[in-house]
Amino acid sequence: HVQLVESGGGSAQAGGSLRLSCAASVRSNCMGWFREAPGKEREGVASIRDGGATTNYASSVRGRFIISQNNAKNTLNLQMNNLKPEDTGMYYCAAWAFSVCTVATGLSINQWWGQGTQVTVS
């Protein structure tokens, strides 16, 4: 039974920071963070391959968010800096197996997902 459990969400003011973590019971070569705002489709935020060999970011968060992975603890992290109100949404951790680890392939393959953690920026 695959489990992905997110933590670290909450509220922050614009310009502030939050750090999300995801504890995974599965090890997959592709992992990532996605978010869903009310009334909008789920979108990719960032992805990582093979523990950090390659990272991929949505243009809206590049330079502000950092995705990282701790292989020893099998955890995935997302450091979110300089938060903006448009970053508000439910954030999901995902894992998938594919040769190309981008947020696009994560959405397409749609393999393993966590339950989500809410982030609210005001």
CSV table of all heavy atoms in Angstrom, one decimal, residues 35-43 60 85-90 92 107:
chain,number,residue,atom,x,y,z
A,35,ARG,N,-0.3,21.7,-7.1
A,35,ARG,CA,-1.2,22.4,-6.3
A,35,ARG,C,-2.5,22.7,-7.1
A,35,ARG,O,-2.6,22.6,-8.3
A,35,ARG,CB,-0.6,23.8,-5.9
A,35,ARG,CG,-0.4,24.8,-7.0
A,35,ARG,CD,0.4,26.0,-6.5
A,35,ARG,NE,0.6,26.9,-7.6
A,35,ARG,CZ,1.4,28.0,-7.5
A,35,ARG,NH1,2.1,28.2,-6.4
A,35,ARG,NH2,1.6,28.8,-8.5
A,36,GLU,N,-3.6,22.9,-6.3
A,36,GLU,CA,-4.9,23.1,-6.8
A,36,GLU,C,-5.6,24.3,-6.1
A,36,GLU,O,-5.8,24.2,-4.9
A,36,GLU,CB,-5.7,21.8,-6.7
A,36,GLU,CG,-6.9,21.7,-7.5
A,36,GLU,CD,-7.5,20.3,-7.5
A,36,GLU,OE1,-6.8,19.3,-7.8
A,36,GLU,OE2,-8.7,20.2,-7.1
A,37,ALA,N,-5.9,25.3,-6.8
A,37,ALA,CA,-6.6,26.5,-6.2
A,37,ALA,C,-8.1,26.3,-6.5
A,37,ALA,O,-8.5,25.6,-7.4
A,37,ALA,CB,-6.1,27.8,-6.9
A,38,PRO,N,-8.9,26.9,-5.6
A,38,PRO,CA,-10.3,26.7,-5.8
A,38,PRO,C,-10.8,27.2,-7.2
A,38,PRO,O,-10.4,28.2,-7.7
A,38,PRO,CB,-10.9,27.7,-4.7
A,38,PRO,CG,-9.8,27.7,-3.7
A,38,PRO,CD,-8.6,27.7,-4.4
A,39,GLY,N,-11.5,26.3,-7.9
A,39,GLY,CA,-12.0,26.6,-9.2
A,39,GLY,C,-11.0,26.5,-10.3
A,39,GLY,O,-11.3,26.8,-11.5
A,40,LYS,N,-9.8,26.0,-10.0
A,40,LYS,CA,-8.8,25.8,-11.0
A,40,LYS,C,-8.4,24.4,-11.1
A,40,LYS,O,-8.5,23.6,-10.2
A,40,LYS,CB,-7.6,26.7,-10.7
A,40,LYS,CG,-7.9,28.2,-10.8
A,40,LYS,CD,-6.7,29.0,-10.7
A,40,LYS,CE,-7.0,30.5,-10.9
A,40,LYS,NZ,-5.7,31.3,-10.8
A,41,GLU,N,-7.8,24.0,-12.2
A,41,GLU,CA,-7.2,22.7,-12.4
A,41,GLU,C,-5.9,22.5,-11.6
A,41,GLU,O,-5.2,23.5,-11.4
A,41,GLU,CB,-7.0,22.4,-13.9
A,41,GLU,CG,-8.3,22.3,-14.7
A,41,GLU,CD,-8.0,21.9,-16.1
A,41,GLU,OE1,-6.8,21.8,-16.5
A,41,GLU,OE2,-9.0,21.6,-16.9
A,42,ARG,N,-5.6,21.3,-11.3
A,42,ARG,CA,-4.4,21.0,-10.6
A,42,ARG,C,-3.2,21.3,-11.6
A,42,ARG,O,-3.3,21.0,-12.8
A,42,ARG,CB,-4.3,19.5,-10.3
A,42,ARG,CG,-3.1,19.1,-9.4
A,42,ARG,CD,-3.3,17.7,-8.9
A,42,ARG,NE,-4.4,17.6,-8.0
A,42,ARG,CZ,-4.7,16.5,-7.3
A,42,ARG,NH1,-3.9,15.4,-7.4
A,42,ARG,NH2,-5.8,16.4,-6.6
A,43,GLU,N,-2.2,22.0,-11.0
A,43,GLU,CA,-1.0,22.4,-11.8
A,43,GLU,C,0.3,21.9,-11.2
A,43,GLU,O,0.3,21.7,-9.9
A,43,GLU,CB,-1.0,23.9,-12.0
A,43,GLU,CG,-0.8,24.7,-10.7
A,43,GLU,CD,-0.7,26.1,-11.0
A,43,GLU,OE1,-0.7,26.6,-12.2
A,43,GLU,OE2,-0.6,26.9,-10.0
A,60,SER,N,6.1,30.1,-12.7
A,60,SER,CA,5.5,31.0,-11.7
A,60,SER,C,6.2,30.9,-10.3
A,60,SER,O,6.0,31.8,-9.5
A,60,SER,CB,4.0,30.6,-11.5
A,60,SER,OG,3.8,29.3,-11.1
A,85,PRO,N,0.0,35.8,-2.8
A,85,PRO,CA,-1.4,35.3,-2.6
A,85,PRO,C,-1.8,34.3,-3.7
A,85,PRO,O,-2.6,33.4,-3.4
A,85,PRO,CB,-2.2,36.6,-2.8
A,85,PRO,CG,-1.3,37.7,-2.3
A,85,PRO,CD,0.1,37.2,-2.8
A,86,GLU,N,-1.3,34.4,-4.9
A,86,GLU,CA,-1.6,33.4,-5.9
A,86,GLU,C,-1.0,32.0,-5.7
A,86,GLU,O,-1.3,31.1,-6.4
A,86,GLU,CB,-1.2,33.9,-7.3
A,86,GLU,CG,0.2,34.4,-7.4
A,86,GLU,CD,0.3,35.9,-7.2
A,86,GLU,OE1,-0.3,36.5,-6.4
A,86,GLU,OE2,1.1,36.5,-8.0
A,87,ASP,N,-0.2,31.9,-4.7
A,87,ASP,CA,0.4,30.6,-4.3
A,87,ASP,C,-0.6,29.8,-3.4
A,87,ASP,O,-0.4,28.6,-3.1
A,87,ASP,CB,1.7,30.7,-3.5
A,87,ASP,CG,2.8,31.3,-4.4
A,87,ASP,OD1,2.9,30.9,-5.5
A,87,ASP,OD2,3.6,32.1,-3.9
A,88,THR,N,-1.7,30.4,-3.0
A,88,THR,CA,-2.7,29.8,-2.2
A,88,THR,C,-3.3,28.6,-2.9
A,88,THR,O,-3.6,28.7,-4.1
A,88,THR,CB,-3.8,30.8,-1.8
A,88,THR,OG1,-3.3,31.8,-1.0
A,88,THR,CG2,-5.0,30.1,-1.1
A,89,GLY,N,-3.5,27.5,-2.2
A,89,GLY,CA,-4.1,26.3,-2.7
A,89,GLY,C,-3.8,25.1,-1.9
A,89,GLY,O,-3.1,25.1,-0.9
A,90,MET,N,-4.3,24.0,-2.4
A,90,MET,CA,-4.0,22.7,-1.7
A,90,MET,C,-2.8,22.1,-2.5
A,90,MET,O,-2.8,22.0,-3.7
A,90,MET,CB,-5.2,21.7,-1.9
A,90,MET,CG,-5.0,20.4,-1.2
A,90,MET,SD,-5.1,20.6,0.6
A,90,MET,CE,-6.9,20.8,0.9
A,92,TYR,N,-0.2,19.1,-3.2
A,92,TYR,CA,-0.1,17.6,-3.2
A,92,TYR,C,1.3,17.1,-3.5
A,92,TYR,O,1.9,17.6,-4.4
A,92,TYR,CB,-1.1,17.0,-4.2
A,92,TYR,CG,-2.5,17.4,-4.0
A,92,TYR,CD1,-3.1,18.5,-4.5
A,92,TYR,CD2,-3.3,16.5,-3.2
A,92,TYR,CE1,-4.4,18.8,-4.3
A,92,TYR,CE2,-4.6,16.8,-3.0
A,92,TYR,CZ,-5.2,18.0,-3.5
A,92,TYR,OH,-6.5,18.3,-3.3
A,107,LEU,N,1.5,14.8,-14.1
A,107,LEU,CA,0.0,14.9,-14.3
A,107,LEU,C,-0.5,13.9,-15.2
A,107,LEU,O,-1.6,13.3,-15.1
A,107,LEU,CB,-0.3,16.3,-14.8
A,107,LEU,CG,-0.1,17.5,-13.8
A,107,LEU,CD1,-0.2,18.8,-14.5
A,107,LEU,CD2,-1.2,17.3,-12.7
